């Protein structure tokens, strides 16, 4: 995931100054809570690229933002929930990156392009997430990401309007639009399954050494699902 605090304005946004003003207008408690949660997320992102997820401790994540372990658990029920929080932020990021494209097949293509860029930016994170999903880690849950967190991470008020939608539901919505436009040959349910399989399976099939080919491989996979 390429996102970081103040990643820049989104499509049609007036600029980061607007986001900073909106953030400053929020209650202090909300801003402090956001900084702690985003700080923990940043600490996880930094560590996971060189340390296996199972070896990262709550103690070191808490120490990175100068809080106690009990305070960590006041924000996240577990390390795995923090990983799920990353996925929710990633979903906001990819929808923001794709929002300029029309609904249907164009949106899906832009979405997979953004996903490929995210995987390249943090490959170990991606493979750790895929492993946790395969183990039934509950990472697909939609968690609350408040306004202060969105403004702090994305630096654009556009992030406030992004609904965190489960992957299958997001794909189904845009595949239904594609079907209405004659861009989908088969049933929507089967296409959702095909996209989910490719979403997780294509990076695994390529492996870490061939992720530079991911965008092209995703595009080829999409060609088999939508026109």
């Amino acid at each position: 995931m390429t996102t970081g605090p103040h990643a820049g304005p989104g499509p049609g946004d007036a600029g980061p100054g607007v986001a900073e003003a909106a953030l400053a207008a929020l209650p202090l408690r909300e801003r402090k809570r956001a900084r702690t949660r985003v700080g923990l997320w940043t600490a996880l992102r930094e560590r996971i690229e060189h340390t296996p997820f199972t070896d990262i401790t709550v103690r070191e994540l808490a120490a990175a933002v100068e809080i106690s372990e009990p305070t960590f658990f006041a924000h996240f029920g577990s390390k795995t929930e923090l990983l799920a929080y990353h996925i929710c932020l990633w979903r906001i990021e990819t929808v923001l990156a794709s929002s300029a494209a029309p609904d249907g097949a164009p949106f899906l293509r832009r979405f997979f392009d953004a996903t490929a860029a995210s995987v390249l930016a943090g490959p170990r994170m991606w493979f750790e997430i895929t492993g946790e999903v395969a183990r039934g880690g509950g990472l697909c849950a939609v968690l609350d990401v408040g306004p202060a967190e969105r403004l702090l991470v994305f630096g654009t008020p556009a992030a406030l309007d992004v609904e965190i939608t489960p992957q299958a539901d997001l794909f189904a919505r845009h595949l239904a639009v594609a079907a209405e436009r004659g861009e989908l040959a088969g049933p929507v349910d089967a296409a959702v399954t095909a996209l989910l399989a490719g979403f997780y399976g294509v990076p695994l099939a390529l492996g870490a050494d061939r992720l530079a080919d991911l965008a092209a491989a995703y595009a080829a996979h999409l060609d088999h699902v939508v026109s």
Side-chain angles (χ1 to χ4, degrees):
M1 180 175 177
T2 55
T3 290
H6 297 292
D13 185 48
V18 176
E20 290 172 4
L23 180 61
L26 293 172
L28 177 60
R29 174 176 286 188
E30 187 173 341
R31 285 182 277 137
K32 289 177 69 175
R33 177 178 183 271
R35 290 190 178 98
T36 298
R37 288 166 67 85
V38 171
L40 289 167
W41 165 70
T42 301
L44 176 65
R45 288 176 60 212
E46 291 171 349
R47 284 158 177 75
I48 209 166
E49 291 304 318
H50 56 77
T51 303
F53 179 65
T54 53
D55 293 341
I56 299 172
T57 66
V58 168
R59 176 175 295 179
E60 68 179 292
L61 293 172
V65 295
E66 300 182 327
I67 62 172
S68 66
E69 290 182 66
T71 301
F72 174 97
F73 290 113
H75 290 280
F76 297 102
S78 65
K79 222 174 35 170
T80 301
E81 188 172 300
L82 179 56
L83 196 60
Y85 180 76
H86 168 84
I87 294 175
C88 291
L89 290 173
W90 168 82
R91 285 173 177 163
I92 295 171
E93 179 193 37
T94 47
V95 170
L96 281 173
S98 310
S99 60
D103 287 352
F107 178 95
L108 291 170
R109 292 189 183 281
R110 186 77 63 87
F111 182 91
F112 273 86
D113 283 344
T115 299
S118 177
V119 174
L120 280 172
R124 284 286 297 272
M125 174 69 86
W126 178 265
F127 289 119
E128 290 283 4
I129 287 170
T130 302
E132 285 295 312
V133 169
R135 287 189 287 270
L139 298 185
C140 297
V142 175
L143 304 180
D144 177 59
V145 181
E149 294 157 79
R150 293 170 183 246
L151 292 168
L152 188 61
V153 171
F154 300 104
T156 169
L160 299 174
D161 299 325
V162 177
E163 181 182 0
I164 303 174
T165 306
Q167 205 69 12
D169 294 347
L170 181 69
F171 287 167
R173 178 159 63 87
H174 287 281
L175 286 167
V177 173
E180 292 172 1
R181 295 175 178 168
E183 300 168 338
L184 187 66
V188 169
D189 287 352
V192 169
T193 300
L195 285 190
L196 287 172
F199 180 79
Y200 291 109
V202 170
L204 289 175
L206 290 175
D209 294 337
R210 293 181 56 208
L211 288 179
D213 300 327
L214 181 56
Y218 267 155
H221 181 74
L222 276 165
D223 286 341
H224 293 291
V225 180
V226 295
S227 58

